[in-house]
Amino acid sequence: MKEIQEYEKDIASIRTIMERSAKFISLSGLSGVLAGIYALTGATIAYFTIHYPISPINYRTYSLQTPEALSKLVLIATLVLIASITTGLWLSSKKAKKHGLKLWTATSKRLLFNMAIPLVAGGIFILIMLYTGHFGLAAPACLIFYGLALIQGSINTFDEIRYLGFCEIILGLISASLPGFGLIFWTIGFGVLHIIYGAIMYNKYDK
Amino acid sequence: MKNPFDNLDKVLEHRIRLQIMSVLVTNDGFEFSALKEMLNVTDGNLASHIKALEREKYISISKSFVDRKPNTKYKITERGRNAFKKHLDALEAVVKQQK
């Protein structure tokens, strides 16, 4: 018969293994903050492309008609996305190494796969909208599909991601009912919320 | 009062077996290599414990080919899930009794 401490250790080991196998815990909070900063930078450049010299909180009365402005916006959004993913992968692999874990595990693969479903569906949907000239709802659609991806992904990583997902969806729906203010909502959703959440996650898990 | 030690599952008293069951109870299907990485054990060690769990019909094995390489996936059976739950309850009872 084993010592009583051994049974306590058995219970503790069940808990850590369950947690470690079901949840990807190497997600870096700092990468969230940086993704937010990239989004803010991108939004500022976008503002000078389409809004300037109108104040950013004013309703944009003329719509996006020139193809150059549109392709410039798509380019900015793509660059922000690539920079955020690269930073996220880099900082998360550093965090995984620090904890003696691997970045590419069955859990992280499942996390990526689960998030990719709403993201790819949303991405194609937005491209179709842009192609068919429905520019007004592109920014809200980004926020809503991203929010759905976060809620889906939260099953395999920190629970807090779920609340970020809810915030993005609510913001997306408000934005959809206020066409013309897409850029400002996009900036809050991808810039400000990422910085706030990244900072909370950093304080809670990375310190 | 009944001794809670009697309810402990002899097969699951070994910690690595318990850990294998913990992974499989939360995840629907896990590969050998992923399991090995998760638990930080050697091939031989893991294989022998998997065999023990398989003998009790606590886990089932499905073999397939992915990119022409053999791919073995383990799943928990209903019997295994019940045994794991019973063992966990017994562990809790044992620890509680001692306090």
Side-chain angles (χ1 to χ4, degrees):
Chain A
M1 201 169 280
K2 290 199 268 185
E3 290 285 320
I4 195 73
Q5 291 98 314
E6 287 300 303
Y7 289 116
E8 282 178 339
K9 269 193 206 158
D10 273 358
I11 295 179
S13 93
I14 292 174
R15 193 165 312 187
T16 43
I17 289 285
M18 280 176 137
E19 187 90 329
R20 195 160 13 126
S21 68
K23 300 215 171 228
F24 175 68
I25 51 164
S26 302
L27 195 67
S28 151
L30 199 59
S31 65
V33 176
L34 286 173
I37 292 171
Y38 301 152
L40 286 185
T41 315
T44 312
I45 300 168
Y47 163 66
F48 283 107
T49 310
I50 57 165
H51 268 281
Y52 192 74
I54 309 165
S55 153
I57 49 167
N58 274 359
Y59 183 73
R60 188 161 46 87
T61 42
Y62 55 93
S63 60
L64 246 179
Q65 296 299 358
T66 60
E68 299 91 66
L70 177 66
S71 55
K72 226 172 169 179
L73 284 188
V74 172
L75 179 72
I76 294 166
T78 313
L79 285 179
V80 168
L81 184 69
I82 292 172
S84 303
I85 292 174
T86 314
T87 312
L89 284 177
W90 175 55
L91 288 177
S92 295
S93 79
K94 257 176 73 174
K95 188 175 165 186
K97 209 176 264 175
K98 209 174 96 188
H99 293 287
L101 299 168
K102 291 214 166 115
L103 182 67
W104 206 232
T105 60
T107 316
S108 62
K109 277 180 211 168
R110 199 163 35 205
L111 172 69
L112 281 185
F113 182 74
N114 281 343
M115 286 187 75
I117 299 166
L119 284 183
V120 170
I124 294 169
F125 181 67
I126 290 160
L127 284 179
I128 293 170
M129 284 206 309
L130 293 180
Y131 194 72
T132 52
H134 297 88
F135 305 117
L137 288 177
C142 282
L143 290 166
I144 291 169
F145 281 104
Y146 180 59
L148 291 173
L150 289 177
I151 291 172
Q152 183 76 14
S154 70
I155 301 165
N156 294 118
T157 186
F158 301 111
D159 288 335
E160 286 83 350
I161 296 294
R162 183 188 304 269
Y163 303 111
L164 178 60
F166 287 133
C167 292
E168 301 284 2
I169 290 177
I170 292 166
L171 212 58
L173 291 176
I174 298 171
S175 166
S177 62
L178 294 169
F181 293 100
L183 183 61
I184 194 91
F185 281 103
W186 195 93
T187 311
I188 297 170
F190 288 102
V192 180
L193 282 187
H194 271 151
I195 293 175
I196 295 171
Y197 257 80
I200 294 172
M201 303 294 280
Y202 180 77
N203 263 320
K204 200 165 171 187
Y205 299 105
D206 296 0
K207 259 190 173 169
Chain B
M1 194 184 140
K2 217 175 143 215
N3 189 351
F5 283 93
D6 296 343
N7 289 333
L8 287 171
D9 192 319
K10 288 278 164 302
V11 185
L12 296 182
E13 286 222 24
H14 199 289
R15 188 160 306 148
I16 291 178
R17 289 179 202 161
L18 194 59
Q19 290 179 333
I20 295 170
M21 296 293 278
S22 310
V23 173
L24 296 181
V25 93
T26 25
N27 297 276
D28 191 30
F30 230 74
E31 287 164 30
F32 187 88
S33 54
L35 210 50
K36 194 182 98 177
E37 221 165 71
M38 181 69 60
L39 304 181
N40 230 338
V41 287
T42 62
D43 275 24
N45 203 351
L46 183 59
S48 75
H49 289 301
I50 280 176
K51 208 156 264 169
L53 291 171
E54 200 194 341
R55 206 164 31 229
E56 294 293 322
K57 296 204 167 53
Y58 284 179
I59 59 174
S60 65
I61 298 176
S62 65
K63 288 189 177 162
S64 61
F65 282 86
V66 177
D67 295 332
R68 285 191 212 150
K69 274 187 229 151
N71 177 282
T72 315
K73 258 194 165 171
Y74 300 97
K75 275 190 174 178
I76 198 162
T77 60
E78 214 34 56
R79 187 179 145 82
R81 197 179 290 278
N82 289 333
F84 180 77
K85 200 180 167 297
K86 227 182 112 194
H87 184 72
L88 200 57
D89 288 342
L91 274 179
E92 275 176 347
V94 165
V95 172
K96 215 170 174 182
Q97 201 188 42
Q98 299 294 313
K99 279 195 174 153

